[in-house]
Amino acid sequence: MLLKQAAQGSIVRIYVLPAAAGPDGPGEVTMTRTYASSRHSLRDFNVVRDEHEASVFARVDALLESLQTPLPPPEERAALRLRAHLTRAQLADTLQCQAQDVEAWETGASEPQGIQRAGYARLLAGLRVLDASPRSAAAVEEPHTPPLPRQTEPHPRPASSTAKPHHRGTRRKAVYPRGPLAVVDQTSQALTAYLADQSSTEVPADHLVDLLQWALEAGIGREALNPNDRDGDPLLVLTPAASHFLGLPPDLHDRARLRLPDSHPQIANLRAAGFKLTRRGFGPWARAYRPVTDGKRASVQLAMTGWGALSDRDGWNLPPLAPAPLARLLGTYADRVLTPRGSTAVCGQELMSALRPPTRARWSETDRRRVSSSNPGALWKPIEPAPPEAHDAHPLAQGRCPQDAMDEEAWDWSRPPTDTENAEFAHVVGIDINLAFIAAASSASVGLNSPPRHLHTPTFDRRIPGTWLCDLSHITLDPRLPSPFTSTGQPPTGPAWYATPTLDYAVKDLGATVKPIEAYLRDDHGPYLTPWYERLRDAYLATMAEAGIHPDIRQDEFLRAMNTLPEADPALLGLLAAIKATGKGGVGKLREGPRETTAPYQRWPALDSPTWRPDIRAAVISRARVNTHRKMIKTAERTGRYPLAVLSDCVLYPAHTPSALDVVPSAPDGRGIRGMFCLGVNPGFAKEEGAQTLSWFRQQHSQGLNPARYIKNS
């Protein structure tokens, strides 16, 4: 730092140019000081200016030189980091960027620039030296880590190489060198833990308590997905053999509650060791924890495969896998989505809260410490639904007429072919929309934490999420199209309750005049599900890229690639199915119904969750339905084709040949046409679901069946 005296009363700015950036990111620090002396002339200021300019020019030269710094291929970058047992968060802290920046550099989605590029290259060079050095006999055997797939995102992200990392107060970020989970099996006369990085280790445990203690000390877990969330607990997946070794029964006798009796000796041992269980007890998915001590959390998740965890009933639909490949599959799911905590639907719901936690820490001047407070943009308290939104078993639905319930559900519609269609077409082709409901959640403005405000004869406002009573029966559409206003696809016959996206579509796209009769509106609203959509989108695209299917390919190339997808690794297909089920199940959880043992119109536990929000589910389904209807109209205008049937996110069209390319037109570059159905891997794009003859369609329809339900399996 260079100090010069100045004329009396003058203000001098002194620039401190650090060699390395501080914790708040790169940049210069400017200090201002007023001097009382008048002995020095303007020449002194010129000296300061010249030296400052020289310093700036030197830094610019260094920056330009760093832009040419070579880097190893993306897959080698990831392998070097993993072999050094470093997390992306550690690299982000060192390079003063965000963890997602490191992920983008390792997958080839983007490249570091400037000083960060030079620092990253220096770090990787150092890791190469360490990687080539001799290992001691006690070193852990290097696991085989497959290269991460390169992928192109459907929506380019803004450059963020100079963004500041998130900090959680002064707390150090946890590091979990052994990954998020372990699959525990019995080998010989001991337990062996198979980790996500394909390494394994013997577990020094003869009892369940010892196993839990080992998990807490072994470096297993996952970093939080949001600075306001807590880190993910270690997950232990126990095989039936491991359960037997630990003295647990092979099956649960209490099939109604799916839990081990509280009188079981293993539960008594847990209590004696200071562990507690959650209210759901010790079932297929359990959590054992000790009370927080000195701010430290001690909690372990358990998945008992012999009791039904990871079963098809839970939505996992995984192929039979040995412990090691199962650990790899679940570890990849944990890395791309989150550590499994139950069924795929439960994971979808938990992911919402993990990305937008209900609370955050803030500084309290009154208490002179950080305290917990509600997190803006999150769901942090249970909200009673408006009467039309309530589930049929909800107390608010008692005595409600069927027409007073909102029917924002997915389509189940079909129609007979016209004479012209029978004469012109010989086939029918089904196209299925990728992650239709997940894509519909993107940027959707939904109600947050305010109760619905009841109004009579309100003026429609597309900016306000809500439930509107309105008569749309005056809107006429081509009968060859399903109505966008009902789940049956039949035109409405009178007033009905609609979510905001449905009325917005009627006004904005169809040019209709709407006059709401009544409404329940939510003034506190925001895009709650956007990070949830982005997380699942990235997980889906990364997995599809691993199968060799990328967003930047032509429609015909995409179809050929999808035809070979069933031949991919069954574990990869299982992971793909789990990601899709997580999104679909998460939307369903927003309106979770009671268990069969619950009496009608009695409250059930899900109603007390902040994420039990049938209004949000209705808005998502409404958006998905009108998005599809919009593409149907565009397709009809361009090709003259109209759908024959729709089931949820699958649409059947008449075709000359049994190929989706016969139905979906291509642009000159071979890709889809904006605003229409496009064949591709991106969420909201479509794939071919199946093809059949038109005579098959007529036979199915004549039997009262929806052919869209069966075209995939026919």
Side-chain angles (χ1 to χ4, degrees), residues 543-558:
T543 307
M544 291 294 282
E546 196 172 346
I549 303 175
H550 303 269
D552 55 346
I553 60 177
R554 296 159 49 100
Q555 294 196 122
D556 55 349
E557 295 172 339
F558 172 73

Side-chain angles (χ1 to χ4, degrees), residues 11-82:
I11 296 177
V12 175
R13 286 186 172 84
I14 303 152
Y15 296 87
V16 182
L17 302 174
D24 291 328
E28 62 188 18
V29 180
T30 305
M31 295 189 300
T32 303
R33 180 168 298 175
T34 303
Y35 287 87
S37 174
S38 61
R39 292 178 295 170
H40 294 275
S41 67
L42 184 62
R43 182 176 56 217
D44 297 306
F45 292 99
N46 291 333
V47 172
V48 175
R49 182 193 63 192
D50 294 343
E51 293 187 10
H52 170 58
E53 288 180 351
S55 176
V56 170
F57 293 159
R59 293 175 69 233
V60 169
D61 292 340
L63 177 60
L64 292 173
E65 183 180 355
S66 71
L67 293 175
Q68 308 303 318
T69 305
L71 291 172
E75 56 268 18
E76 184 180 348
R77 305 170 196 174
L80 287 170
R81 175 182 61 79
L82 290 169

Side-chain angles (χ1 to χ4, degrees), residues 62 68 75 198 212 243 248 319 332 354 386 437 452 548 623 657 666 671:
Q68 308 303 318
E75 56 268 18
Q198 296 300 277
L212 296 180
S243 299
L248 294 167
T332 306
F437 300 109
R623 289 189 99 210
T657 62
S666 297
R671 293 173 172 80

